Amino acid sequence: EAQVTQNPRYLITVTGKKLTVTCSQNMNHEYMSWYRQDPGLGLRQIYYSMNVEVTDKGDVPEGYKVSRKEKRNFPLILESPSPNQTSLYFCASSLIGNTEAFFGQGTRLTVV
Amino acid sequence: GNSVTQMEGPVTLSEEAFLTINCTYTATGYPSLFWYVQYPGEGLQLLLKATKADDKGSNKGFEATYRKETTSFHLEKGSVQVSDSAVYFCALRGIQGAQKLVFGQGTRLTINP
């Protein structure tokens, strides 16, 4: 089954404790991205990658890092989480171009 | 830059009512347009799409037509069901630059029996 898999689904952590949210896709997509969803703001892109070892900032990259060492995986790293990073996070993958994206189930992160 | 404006919610309707959720966009070039749906506790699923002017996307009784002259992509359904209760997002994606999906703020729809 074609899918995007994120882990964990829920995470509560403390300010400053490094964490990683994993994302994996099995559709051989070149394009992967991370979004955060906040009430009244819709989804905003954090980082994206158009291929292995090619990553770039989206609209809200501050406080986040990513890596793309393999085509299928695109982890999101929070080196020093802060409460304003409490949000619902989605990983997505797609082909290059103006095609639809496929989304993971989401990770609800709470930073206290 | 590209942007999407959606009708503000929440929207509450009775079962079998007619649904319209307005969506307008600003974009350079010829983006593709999408409606995504998010059911409670789940990720976003593609509901329908249109890739060029005058295309009509349809799925599960929902329809939307890509209107370049009015830069709109309104979502409609003739008779809603309780199971349609969800958050609906209008989005666009171009082929320039970052090729990111640009989303509207979402419209929460509740259908009462």
Side-chain angles (χ1 to χ4, degrees):
Chain A
E1 180 189 355
Q3 59 185 5
V4 178
T5 304
Q6 283 179 240
N7 280 297
R9 291 288 309 277
Y10 303 91
L11 180 59
I12 301 175
T13 190
V14 297
T15 298
K17 184 176 181 183
K18 181 179 178 180
L19 66 91
T20 299
V21 183
T22 63
C23 173
S24 180
Q25 51 95 3
N26 63 1
M27 295 169 278
N28 202 36
H29 286 160
E30 301 94 348
Y31 193 103
M32 297 186 74
S33 57
W34 278 100
Y35 293 83
R36 59 177 290 172
Q37 181 182 4
D38 300 291
L41 297 177
L43 282 85
R44 295 175 292 168
Q45 193 184 56
I46 302 170
Y47 267 94
Y48 68 97
S49 168
M50 288 200 182
N51 214 327
V52 175
E53 302 293 359
V54 180
T55 63
D56 209 344
K57 297 177 181 179
D59 296 320
V60 288
E62 294 77 19
Y64 304 95
K65 284 175 55 176
V66 292
S67 69
R68 186 95 181 271
K69 292 183 170 30
E70 305 163 284
K71 196 172 186 178
R72 63 183 291 126
N73 296 324
F74 191 48
L76 178 70
I77 303 155
L78 285 71
E79 295 269 4
S80 183
S82 63
N84 64 10
Q85 293 177 298
T86 292
S87 187
L88 179 59
Y89 291 87
F90 288 101
C91 180
S93 76
S94 71
L95 297 171
I96 294 286
N98 56 348
T99 62
E100 69 266 31
F102 295 81
F103 285 80
Q105 291 287 81
T107 296
R108 185 167 293 281
L109 172 66
T110 302
V111 184
V112 299
Chain B
N2 295 344
S3 66
V4 175
T5 302
Q6 252 181 268
M7 141 184 197
E8 288 198 24
V11 174
T12 302
L13 296 172
S14 297
E15 206 164 22
E16 299 184 2
F18 184 86
L19 168 71
T20 300
I21 301 178
N22 290 335
C23 172
T24 58
Y25 68 90
T26 302
T28 54
Y30 302 94
S32 291
L33 301 175
F34 308 92
W35 278 98
Y36 282 86
V37 59
Q38 184 179 30
Y39 297 105
E42 298 186 15
L44 279 77
Q45 303 173 26
L46 179 68
L47 180 60
L48 53 85
K49 68 178 182 180
T51 58
K52 61 184 188 296
D54 300 324
D55 266 2
K56 178 187 283 188
S58 61
N59 186 26
K60 299 182 181 180
F62 290 89
E63 293 182 340
T65 301
Y66 190 147
R67 301 279 188 208
K68 190 160 177 62
E69 65 276 12
T70 55
T71 62
S72 64
F73 193 55
H74 305 321
L75 183 68
E76 297 182 335
K77 186 174 185 181
S79 176
V80 292
Q81 306 300 312
V82 172
S83 57
D84 294 327
S85 298
V87 180
Y88 292 81
F89 291 94
C90 184
L92 68 80
R93 189 177 187 192
I95 58 172
Q96 306 296 326
Q99 300 182 17
K100 64 182 177 184
L101 268 169
V102 176
F103 287 89
Q105 67 269 44
T107 301
R108 181 174 298 278
L109 173 67
T110 301
I111 308 299
N112 293 321

